[in-house]
Coordinates of all heavy atoms in Angstrom, one line a residue:
N1065 N -5.1 -10.2 10.3 CA -5.1 -11.6 10.5 C -4.6 -12.4 9.2 O -4.0 -13.5 9.4 CB -6.5 -12.1 11.0 CG -6.9 -11.6 12.2 OD1 -6.1 -11.7 13.2 ND2 -8.2 -11.4 12.5
T1066 N -4.9 -11.9 8.0 CA -4.5 -12.5 6.9 C -3.0 -12.3 6.6 O -2.2 -13.4 6.2 CB -5.3 -12.0 5.8 OG1 -6.7 -12.3 6.0 CG2 -4.9 -12.8 4.3
H1067 N -2.6 -11.2 6.7 CA -1.2 -10.8 6.2 C -0.2 -10.7 7.3 O 1.1 -10.7 7.0 CB -1.1 -9.5 5.4 CG -2.2 -9.7 4.3 ND1 -1.8 -10.4 3.1 CD2 -3.3 -9.1 4.0 CE1 -2.9 -10.4 2.3 NE2 -3.8 -9.6 2.9
A1068 N -0.5 -10.7 8.6 CA 0.4 -10.6 9.7 C 0.0 -11.2 10.9 O -0.1 -10.6 12.0 CB 0.9 -9.1 9.9
P1069 N -0.5 -12.5 10.8 CA -1.1 -13.1 12.0 C -0.2 -13.1 13.2 O -0.8 -13.0 14.4 CB -1.5 -14.5 11.6 CG -0.6 -14.8 10.4 CD -0.4 -13.5 9.8
D1070 N 1.1 -13.1 13.1 CA 2.0 -13.2 14.3 C 2.2 -11.8 14.9 O 2.7 -11.7 16.0 CB 3.3 -13.9 13.8 CG 4.0 -13.2 12.7 OD1 3.2 -12.6 11.8 OD2 5.2 -13.2 12.6
L1071 N 1.7 -10.8 14.3 CA 1.9 -9.4 14.7 C 0.6 -8.8 15.1 O 0.6 -7.6 15.5 CB 2.5 -8.5 13.6 CG 3.9 -9.0 13.1 CD1 4.3 -8.1 12.0 CD2 4.9 -8.9 14.3
V1072 N -0.5 -9.5 15.1 CA -1.9 -8.9 15.4 C -1.9 -8.1 16.7 O -2.3 -7.1 16.8 CB -3.0 -10.0 15.2 CG1 -4.3 -9.4 15.8 CG2 -3.1 -10.5 13.9
R1073 N -1.3 -8.7 17.7 CA -1.3 -8.2 19.1 C -0.6 -6.8 19.2 O -0.7 -6.0 20.1 CB -0.9 -9.2 20.1 CG -1.7 -10.2 20.3 CD -1.4 -11.0 21.5 NE -2.4 -12.2 21.7 CZ -2.2 -13.4 21.7 NH1 -0.9 -13.8 21.4 NH2 -3.1 -14.2 21.9
Q1074 N 0.3 -6.5 18.2 CA 1.1 -5.3 18.1 C 0.3 -4.2 17.5 O 0.8 -3.0 17.7 CB 2.4 -5.5 17.6 CG 3.3 -6.5 18.2 CD 4.5 -6.7 17.4 OE1 5.1 -5.9 16.6 NE2 5.2 -7.9 17.7
F1075 N -0.8 -4.4 17.0 CA -1.6 -3.3 16.3 C -2.9 -3.2 16.8 O -3.5 -4.2 17.3 CB -1.6 -3.6 14.8 CG -0.3 -3.5 14.2 CD1 0.5 -4.6 13.9 CD2 0.1 -2.3 13.6 CE1 1.9 -4.5 13.3 CE2 1.4 -2.2 13.0 CZ 2.2 -3.4 13.0
G1076 N -3.6 -2.1 16.6 CA -4.9 -1.8 17.1 C -5.6 -1.0 15.8 O -5.0 -0.5 14.9
V1077 N -7.0 -1.2 15.8 CA -7.8 -0.5 14.8 C -8.2 0.8 15.4 O -8.8 0.7 16.5 CB -8.9 -1.4 14.2 CG1 -9.7 -0.7 13.2 CG2 -8.2 -2.6 13.6
E1078 N -8.1 1.9 14.7 CA -8.5 3.2 15.1 C -9.6 3.9 14.2 O -9.4 3.7 13.0 CB -7.3 4.0 15.3 CG -7.6 5.5 15.7 CD -6.2 6.1 15.8 OE1 -5.4 5.9 16.6 OE2 -6.0 7.1 15.0
S1079 N -10.7 4.3 14.7 CA -11.6 5.0 13.9 C -11.4 6.5 13.9 O -11.2 7.1 14.9 CB -13.1 4.6 14.2 OG -13.3 5.0 15.6
I1080 N -11.6 7.1 12.7 CA -11.4 8.5 12.7 C -12.3 9.1 11.6 O -12.8 8.5 10.7 CB -9.9 9.0 12.3 CG1 -9.6 8.5 10.9 CG2 -8.9 8.5 13.2 CD1 -8.3 9.1 10.3
T1081 N -12.6 10.4 11.7 CA -13.5 11.1 10.7 C -12.6 11.6 9.5 O -11.4 11.6 9.6 CB -14.2 12.3 11.3 OG1 -13.1 13.2 11.7 CG2 -15.2 11.8 12.5
G1082 N -13.2 12.1 8.5 CA -12.4 12.6 7.3 C -11.7 13.7 7.7 O -10.6 14.0 7.2
T1083 N -12.2 14.6 8.6 CA -11.5 15.8 9.0 C -10.2 15.5 9.7 O -9.2 16.0 9.5 CB -12.4 16.8 9.9 OG1 -13.7 16.9 9.1 CG2 -11.8 18.0 10.2
Q1084 N -10.3 14.5 10.7 CA -9.1 14.1 11.3 C -8.1 13.5 10.5 O -6.9 13.6 10.6 CB -9.5 12.9 12.4 CG -10.4 13.6 13.5 CD -10.8 12.5 14.5 OE1 -11.5 11.6 14.0 NE2 -10.6 12.6 15.7
L1085 N -8.5 12.7 9.4 CA -7.8 12.0 8.4 C -6.9 13.1 7.7 O -5.7 12.8 7.6 CB -8.5 11.2 7.5 CG -7.8 10.5 6.3 CD1 -6.8 9.5 7.0 CD2 -8.7 9.8 5.4

Side-chain angles (χ1 to χ4, degrees):
N1065 286 324
T1066 301
H1067 302 289
D1070 52 332
L1071 300 175
V1072 169
R1073 291 193 173 118
Q1074 295 178 21
F1075 292 92
V1077 176
E1078 183 176 288
S1079 63
I1080 64 166
T1081 64
T1083 306
Q1084 291 171 308
L1085 180 59

